[in-house]
Amino acid sequence: MPADRIGRAGPTLVLWLTLGFALLLGGCAGLPTEVARRSSVTIPNGADTTLGRLVAATAPRSADEPLSGFRLLPMAQFSLHARIELIRRAERSIDVQYYLVQNDETGRYLLRHLRDAAKRGVRVRLLVDDLYTAGADPLFRGLAAYPNVEVRMFNPFPAGREHFGTRWTASLLDFNRVHRRMHNKLCVVDDTMAVMGGRNIVNEYFLRDGGSNFIDIDTLVAGPVVHKLSSLFDIYWNSPYVYPIESLVSADGASPQALRSRFDELTSGPGTPEPEQPSATDLLGHHPLAADLDAGQLQLAWARAEAYADAPAKALAPEESRGAPADVSPDSVQFNLQRHLRGARTEIMQTTPYLIPGRGGMETIRHVRGNGVGYIMVTNSLAATDESLVHIGYRRYRAEMLRLGVALYELSPKRVEQSRRFGMYETSSGRLHGKSAVIDGRTVFIGSMNFDPRSVLHNTEIGLFIFSPQIAQQLNSLIGFIRLDGAYQLQLGPRGGIEWVSPAAGDGADTILHTEPETNFWARWRLELLAPLVPESLL
């Protein structure tokens, strides 16, 4: 699977070419009507489950208000392991919501464990954005054929479902709908523990791809804020913008048993190998989650937290009924992140793989820098990005951000490979995908939202704010590892051009580069050619 198809719903060069071809064909198809959507909500109060009892036994007793527990998951194997362990131990319910569940070793492995949970009697609800599910209908249709499982697709393509290109061709005249996507990532078990953050369920997010792999950040969540996450899932699950897989994909006369047998065939054997098990401890000194659960204890940081998700209508309702824009809606991720950023007093440290601040973002940067607040931003270099068109939008703002005093860093694939701190990348390229922020050393943001127009205008997002100096210090350290071991720092040269500084090892002199590092002439020339043609609002 091409790396530039991972991580966001922005049109890539492949998509533009597909749409151009579709103009010649002029196809269009409509979504099914009179769809039966059985309403359901979270099975509440998981306190009587094994996980619920463990959370209750671990939670602080003397807090003035109920606190939630958190453990950052910066390393890929630990993050996948945490999801699988929670699913394995679920007793009542599993709610899973992702922008991307790929039909690869990782996707099939997770789906197989959802099947096993359903066979134990656990209710499973799986909600997937339909953008990248081409060719995977037998997989999702087969899973939905099991008792206790429901599978729904957000904003689906009604025709040409076998191939990415034919989907767009069939929906050309509906482009204003189909390019709007659900970017959320969430896995909740028994309404008592969850994993959320930036990772999709794809090989590239768990160091299982030979071409490129992502540095990302998730968090394990326990306690009261999990119920808020569950309620946010329910809003999406019961919205008119999701469609049961049965309404999109016919069984073609196959019996439920035949569909289940096909699913078992697709998810068994050498095509779905066991992932590599996590090492003894991660970067923060945490053991794999199974070790804690087996010992009946949880190593968590307890703090107050808030969770937000954009309304599904943000992306898909008629314009007159979408409600307030994301930057002014109090329930949106964008509004609350901007609120905390603009309220900073000392320092902001932020990571985002796709950085296009736009007018609103630049206003925020000017505001906080005008108040004397330090601003550190880490993003992808041209060599690291999987969306080179996005880099066109980003580079328009680099010089101005540097003039405002932003400490700007770009990830170096070579330095990430050499560092090995975030895992063994071997011959694959390292790319940044984490969306996070640390504000004043006490407020942490982790979620799915990038710092770009697409996240504000076209996609739905989810985000978590954790008010914990302990978690803030840990995330500061993780971002520091990236800056020191895996990134170039940008600066303005004597004539105002961009320079990339590569720190020297030991007492040697730093290396200063004057062109986009780790790229060739053709990669840079292509951007120059495309730059005038790419509207920023669609990046």
Side-chain angles (χ1 to χ4, degrees):
M1 177 174 182
D4 64 1
R5 288 181 56 191
I6 304 293
R8 58 187 290 108
T12 64
L13 183 59
V14 172
L15 177 52
W16 285 112
L17 292 175
T18 301
L19 291 176
F21 176 68
L23 281 171
L24 300 176
L25 300 180
C28 186
L31 286 168
T33 58
E34 300 182 3
V35 174
R37 298 178 181 85
R38 186 173 65 87
S39 178
S40 65
V41 295
T42 298
I43 301 175
N45 189 17
D48 60 343
T49 64
T50 301
L51 291 176
R53 288 189 291 270
L54 180 55
V55 170
T58 309
R61 303 291 183 185
S62 59
D64 295 333
E65 59 180 315
L67 304 180
S68 298
F70 303 93
R71 177 191 298 184
L72 296 183
L73 298 168
M75 300 186 71
Q77 291 95 337
F78 283 77
S79 187
L80 179 58
H81 169 85
R83 289 169 171 86
I84 297 300
E85 282 303 311
L86 292 183
I87 291 170
R88 281 174 173 165
R89 297 165 194 258
E91 296 176 7
R92 296 171 59 179
S93 65
I94 302 171
D95 293 330
V96 178
Q97 177 183 16
Y98 280 97
Y99 169 62
L100 180 52
V101 177
Q102 185 62 30
N103 183 11
D104 61 11
E105 291 86 349
T106 300
R108 291 189 295 269
Y109 186 74
L110 183 129
L111 295 179
R112 192 172 70 194
H113 281 283
L114 293 179
R115 173 205 63 189
D116 293 345
K119 292 171 73 173
R120 298 194 310 267
V122 177
R123 187 189 73 176
V124 175
R125 298 188 294 176
L126 173 63
L127 176 57
V128 182
D129 186 273
D130 197 45
L131 182 62
Y132 291 129
T133 62
D137 285 345
L139 197 65
F140 293 113
R141 187 69 174 85
L143 178 61
Y146 280 91
N148 303 314
V149 179
E150 289 186 80
V151 178
R152 297 183 180 181
M153 297 292 170
F154 183 89
N155 193 22
F157 290 78
R161 295 186 55 79
E162 282 298 308
H163 303 285
F164 185 73
T166 55
R167 288 176 164 217
W168 286 98
T169 300
S171 298
L172 173 65
L173 301 184
D174 208 10
F175 177 77
N176 191 48
R177 174 182 67 83
V178 294
H179 87 101
R180 301 173 184 272
R181 310 312 315 179
M182 179 191 76
H183 202 229
N184 310 37
K185 290 104 173 165
L186 178 65
C187 177
V188 182
V189 170
D190 289 342
D191 192 35
T192 190
M193 294 188 74
V195 175
M196 66 87 63
R199 289 185 175 97
N200 293 295
I201 307 302
V202 186
N203 283 347
E204 286 88 335
Y205 294 86
F206 301 101
L207 288 181
R208 305 186 76 188
D209 183 76
S212 62
N213 287 283
F214 290 101
I215 296 174
D216 215 321
I217 186 72
D218 293 319
T219 183
L220 180 70
V221 188
V225 78
V226 175
H227 187 67
K228 177 60 182 294
L229 293 172
S230 293
S231 68
L232 295 173
F233 176 92
D234 286 344
I235 292 172
Y236 279 80
W237 184 257
N238 295 304
S239 79
Y241 312 112
V242 304
Y243 289 72
I245 189 68
E246 295 87 352
S247 69
L248 303 168
V249 181
S250 170
D252 290 328
S255 67
Q257 179 57 48
L259 294 171
R260 294 193 291 268
S261 295
R262 179 59 175 154
F263 176 87
D264 293 346
E265 179 185 343
L266 292 170
T267 59
S268 300
T272 309
E274 291 277 336
E276 179 182 347
Q277 292 303 303
S279 57
T281 58
D282 67 8
L283 280 170
L284 298 173
H286 295 134
H287 296 286
L289 181 60
D292 279 10
L293 297 178
D294 290 343
Q297 59 185 14
L298 286 174
Q299 296 179 359
L300 302 174
W302 294 87
R304 186 173 66 84
E306 298 172 356
Y308 299 92
D310 299 334
K314 168 193 173 184
L316 294 168
E319 188 170 353
E320 64 274 10
S321 58
R322 284 179 191 165
D327 56 351
V328 297
S329 172
D331 294 324
S332 76
V333 181
Q334 164 75 8
F335 175 88
N336 286 284
L337 179 57
Q338 292 283 33
R339 173 171 64 91
H340 285 291
L341 292 176
R342 293 177 70 87
R345 299 185 177 212
T346 56
E347 183 182 74
I348 296 168
M349 188 177 293
Q350 188 173 0
T351 68
T352 180
Y354 311 113
L355 174 56
I356 307 176
R359 185 179 65 181
M362 291 305 298
E363 288 176 356
T364 295
I365 291 172
R366 292 189 193 96
H367 174 81
V368 298
R369 289 295 299 136
N371 290 339
V373 175
Y375 208 133
I376 299 169
M377 183 79 75
V378 184
T379 190
N380 278 313
S381 65
L382 176 57
T385 187
D386 62 322
E387 291 285 352
S388 57
L389 291 185
V390 175
H391 198 82
I392 293 173
Y394 157 60
R395 68 180 190 166
R396 296 167 182 163
Y397 294 94
R398 284 191 302 202
E400 186 176 359
M401 285 190 286
L402 291 171
R403 285 192 290 268
L404 288 170
V406 175
L408 189 57
Y409 293 81
E410 292 182 359
L411 196 75
S412 159
K414 288 183 179 178
R415 298 191 67 208
V416 168
E417 177 186 343
Q418 294 166 356
S419 167
R420 299 186 176 183
R421 189 185 290 271
F422 286 87
M424 297 292 290
Y425 282 77
E426 298 178 348
T427 59
S428 67
S429 299
R431 307 181 189 276
L432 179 68
H433 193 260
K435 307 97 162 48
S436 68
V438 181
I439 302 164
D440 293 344
R442 62 175 183 266
T443 300
V444 167
F445 167 77
I446 293 176
S448 68
M449 194 190 82
N450 297 299
F451 205 54
D452 67 352
R454 173 155 290 277
S455 296
V456 177
L457 300 173
H458 305 306
N459 291 350
T460 70
E461 309 288 353
I462 189 169
L464 188 64
F465 295 87
I466 307 168
F467 306 101
S468 166
Q470 180 181 350
I471 295 294
Q473 187 277 326
Q474 292 175 358
L475 186 53
N476 263 335
S477 296
L478 294 171
I479 298 174
F481 294 153
I482 298 174
R483 292 166 52 205
L484 297 175
D485 293 352
Y488 300 99
Q489 183 170 8
L490 276 62
Q491 64 183 25
L492 291 174
R495 298 183 179 181
I498 303 291
E499 297 179 342
W500 290 259
V501 180
S502 180
D507 297 328
D510 294 344
T511 300
I512 298 179
L513 306 172
H514 298 90
T515 58
E516 304 272 1
E518 303 177 41
T519 64
N520 57 36
F521 169 79
W522 296 111
R524 298 190 294 272
W525 178 83
R526 184 178 66 167
L527 254 62
E528 296 297 336
L529 183 67
L530 293 173
L533 308 176
V534 181
E536 184 172 299
S537 63
L538 285 178
L539 293 175

